[in-house]
Amino acid sequence: MAMETILVIIGTAVFVLVLLRVLRKSTSLPAPAYIGRLLDSGFRHFFQPPRTVVERSGVASGMTVMELGCGSGAYTTYIARAIGEEGKLFAVDIQSAMLRQLERKLSREENKDIKNIELRETNAYELPFADESFDLAYMVTVLMEIPDKGRSLREVKRVLKPGGILAVTEFFPDPDYPCRSTVIKLGMRAGFALDESEGNFWNYTVRFRKPLSDQQKD
Ligand SMILES: C[S@@+](CC[C@H](N)C(=O)[O-])C[C@H]1O[C@@H](n2cnc3c(N)ncnc32)[C@H](O)[C@@H]1O
């Protein structure tokens, strides 16, 4: 391929990324459901591998887990298998069209072994779960789509058990991508203690813990 062609491709990709970021900054709408196929594609998994998301999120066998903003389920089945039959995963999203895509994915032959997922259509501000229900809550490229991030994080904290984990994963090509320091600030402001931060600028996970008591923040 000629050098000019390569430069045009790179230039176009950079332009589209910048344009999308500018457009997303002026709106707070959820990612449209028609990108569900792209989100759950081999192309995306090549750059943001499910194994990495599972490893960094602090998943363990038997956990009760909530995925906030599951979308079309790009990572849902991997987490469901990692927690095993003893575990339970509630996949939550505000858009029924996203949940329908996940439902279709779960009905495929290769996913028939998964029996520990329940779907819930709901807003991050009012999660339909009792206080202290979950060992782990995780979000992959979701947090910055939510207009009132503090309110949603406090709601996640409510449904986590004391000592429970919140894992926030971000990916640079996402037009809503935030710097790691922004995520850390938001989590700590909502009353979480920072546990671990892994990965690089391109693809990272910040893990927080809900303090054991209101006094304990670290
Ligand atoms: C960029 S997609 C990511 C989906 C999935 N986590 C992934 O990584 O493929 C963000 C998802 O968050 C959901 N979402 C956005 N705002 C939400 C809110 N306030 N409450 C619940 N889900 C929300 C969107 O509907 C969308 O499915």
Side-chain angles (χ1 to χ4, degrees):
M1 203 184 292
M3 186 51 98
E4 293 96 79
T5 315
I6 295 173
L7 287 175
V8 168
I9 291 171
I10 293 173
T12 308
V14 170
F15 174 75
V16 169
L17 273 180
V18 171
L19 186 68
L20 281 174
R21 276 172 161 70
V22 171
L23 290 175
R24 291 293 297 172
K25 283 258 178 298
S26 57
T27 62
S28 282
L29 295 172
Y34 61 74
I35 68 160
R37 286 180 76 153
L38 176 66
L39 291 173
D40 189 21
S41 63
F43 181 72
R44 200 264 183 105
H45 285 163
F46 177 78
F47 291 104
Q48 194 180 27
R51 188 172 42 83
T52 311
V53 173
V54 172
E55 282 169 8
R56 291 179 184 163
S57 298
V59 182
S61 174
M63 278 181 159
T64 305
V65 178
M66 176 185 66
E67 176 174 12
L68 180 52
C70 57
S72 50
Y75 298 97
T76 316
T77 50
Y78 297 90
I79 300 279
R81 288 197 172 99
I83 58 176
E85 284 172 15
E86 304 295 306
K88 181 93 191 165
L89 171 55
F90 290 85
V92 167
D93 205 285
I94 197 171
Q95 297 188 80
S96 54
M98 283 290 196
L99 290 170
R100 276 200 300 276
Q101 293 180 55
L102 173 53
E103 222 162 36
R104 275 201 297 277
K105 176 176 179 166
L106 293 175
S107 69
R108 279 190 226 133
E109 201 51 45
E110 74 257 27
N111 292 323
K112 284 277 166 63
D113 59 309
I114 301 178
K115 303 204 185 319
N116 59 355
I117 300 180
E118 280 190 34
L119 312 191
R120 294 279 188 280
E121 182 185 337
T122 185
N123 195 316
Y125 300 147
E126 281 155 18
L127 298 169
F129 306 111
D131 295 358
E132 305 186 359
S133 297
F134 296 101
D135 302 296
L136 165 71
Y138 71 98
M139 310 165 80
V140 184
T141 62
V142 173
L143 183 58
M144 300 312 280
E145 274 187 25
I146 303 174
D148 191 341
K149 295 152 197 42
R151 184 173 169 197
S152 64
L153 289 173
R154 287 192 298 277
E155 180 65 352
V156 171
K157 188 163 155 258
R158 180 185 70 75
V159 300
L160 274 177
K161 295 176 185 171
I165 300 169
L166 164 64
V168 180
T169 296
E170 297 294 343
F171 182 45
F172 183 73
D174 177 9
D176 299 310
Y177 171 89
C179 292
R180 193 189 307 239
S181 58
T182 304
V183 171
I184 292 175
K185 214 180 295 164
L186 288 166
M188 295 188 71
R189 223 182 266 160
F192 284 97
L194 179 62
D195 189 19
E196 195 70 63
S197 169
E198 292 185 66
N200 51 30
F201 181 78
W202 171 260
N203 177 10
Y204 67 83
T205 300
V206 179
R207 244 179 14 245
F208 299 96
R209 275 194 192 271
K210 174 174 172 172
L212 293 173
S213 67
D214 281 342
Q215 282 76 38
Q216 188 215 332
K217 288 273 166 63
D218 47 28

